[in-house]
């Protein structure tokens, strides 16, 4: 099949603990490039998560109705194979993201040479935004407006009530 008529499926992987407007911006950019974007939530993260994988998935669905989202454990490249996806989407914010992202992209490429990692730039409004910062703000009862969708804000408020 010629490449241009192939269904271009991309996976956007992450911990999403919780999803922020920065992630949503990356997903929307990805949807403009690919035929389908699947959000893949890492289940067995080395990070200690505030929200269970089921809650993280539920918050993504509530924030982006209609989005395809699944959990995965083990290697990302194995998830890509199961989904017939050839592309990984990652967002790039500051230069400080680069080392980690470069390492992951190289690792995935050597494990599955047929795949490509595509980086999209994060919107300037979300340059500084990440899930860790959001949790820190929520813990200290700071404003979360403009950082996370409403269902996420509610879930964070409940956690730190
Ligand atoms: O946005 P995050 O939380 O930094 O996402 C990290 C993630 C989930 C993309 C990464 O940890 C991952 O892909 N883990 C699965 C294990 C894997 O495939 N490792 C080899 C490539 S580094």
């Amino acid at each position: 099949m010629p490449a241009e008529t192939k269904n271009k499926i991309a996976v956007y992987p992450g911990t999403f603990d919780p999803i922020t407007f920065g992630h949503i911006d990356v997903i929307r950019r990805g949807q403009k490039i690919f035929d389908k974007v699947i959000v893949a939530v890492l289940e067995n993260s080395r990070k200690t998560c505030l929200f269970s994988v089921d809650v993280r998935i539920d918050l993504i669905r509530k924030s982006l109705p209609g989005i395809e989202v699944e959990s995965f454990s083990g290697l990302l490249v194995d998830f890509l194979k199961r989904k017939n996806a050839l592309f990984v989407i990652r967002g790039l914010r500051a230069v400080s993201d680069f080392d980690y992202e470069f390492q992951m992209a190289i690792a995935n490429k050597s494990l599955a040479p047929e795949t490509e990692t595509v980086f999209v730039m994060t919107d300037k409004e979300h340059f500084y935004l990440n899930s860790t910062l959001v949790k820190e703000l929520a813990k200290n009862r700071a404003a979360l407006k403009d950082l996370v969708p409403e269902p996420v804000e509610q879930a964070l408020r409940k956690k730190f009530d």
Side-chain angles (χ1 to χ4, degrees):
M1 200 191 310
E4 60 275 16
T5 58
K6 259 201 299 196
N7 219 7
K8 290 195 168 60
I9 304 173
V11 169
Y12 179 37
T15 312
F16 303 105
D17 186 43
I19 189 163
T20 68
F21 280 137
H23 296 125
I24 290 175
D25 177 49
V26 170
I27 294 169
R28 295 219 167 104
R29 285 166 191 251
Q31 284 172 328
K32 288 187 196 153
I33 304 170
F34 299 103
D35 297 312
K36 180 152 94 171
V37 174
I38 303 169
V39 179
V41 183
L42 184 65
E43 198 172 344
N44 59 344
S45 175
R46 272 178 298 163
K47 299 176 191 168
T48 312
C49 290
L50 179 65
F51 295 105
S52 71
V53 70
D54 289 341
V55 172
R56 283 181 274 148
I57 288 177
D58 187 52
L59 290 174
I60 295 170
R61 289 208 174 108
K62 283 182 178 146
S63 306
L64 280 166
I67 191 79
E68 189 168 332
V69 46
E70 272 186 46
S71 64
F72 80 105
S73 51
L75 290 179
L76 176 63
V77 290
D78 293 332
F79 182 81
L80 291 174
K81 277 177 198 145
R82 286 201 294 281
K83 294 287 155 192
N84 280 320
L86 290 177
F87 303 95
V88 176
I89 305 174
R90 293 289 290 173
L92 269 186
R93 289 165 303 194
V95 178
S96 51
D97 282 345
F98 190 78
D99 264 5
Y100 171 59
E101 293 299 334
F102 191 63
Q103 262 181 32
M104 271 202 298
I106 298 282
N108 288 329
K109 189 77 182 166
S110 33
L111 290 163
E114 71 282 11
T115 63
E116 289 298 339
T117 299
V118 175
F119 293 104
V120 299
M121 292 301 293
T122 304
D123 199 274
K124 63 181 182 327
E125 272 92 73
H126 304 124
F127 193 69
Y128 60 94
L129 181 55
N130 62 48
S131 302
T132 307
L133 173 79
V134 162
K135 285 180 277 194
E136 196 61 37
L137 292 174
K139 207 194 286 179
N140 292 288
R141 293 174 173 70
L144 298 174
K145 204 181 146 290
D146 304 331
L147 305 182
V148 292
E150 179 71 30
V152 176
E153 181 168 357
Q154 280 174 17
L156 282 165
R157 294 279 174 236
K158 233 166 110 185
K159 273 273 177 206
F160 296 111
D161 232 3

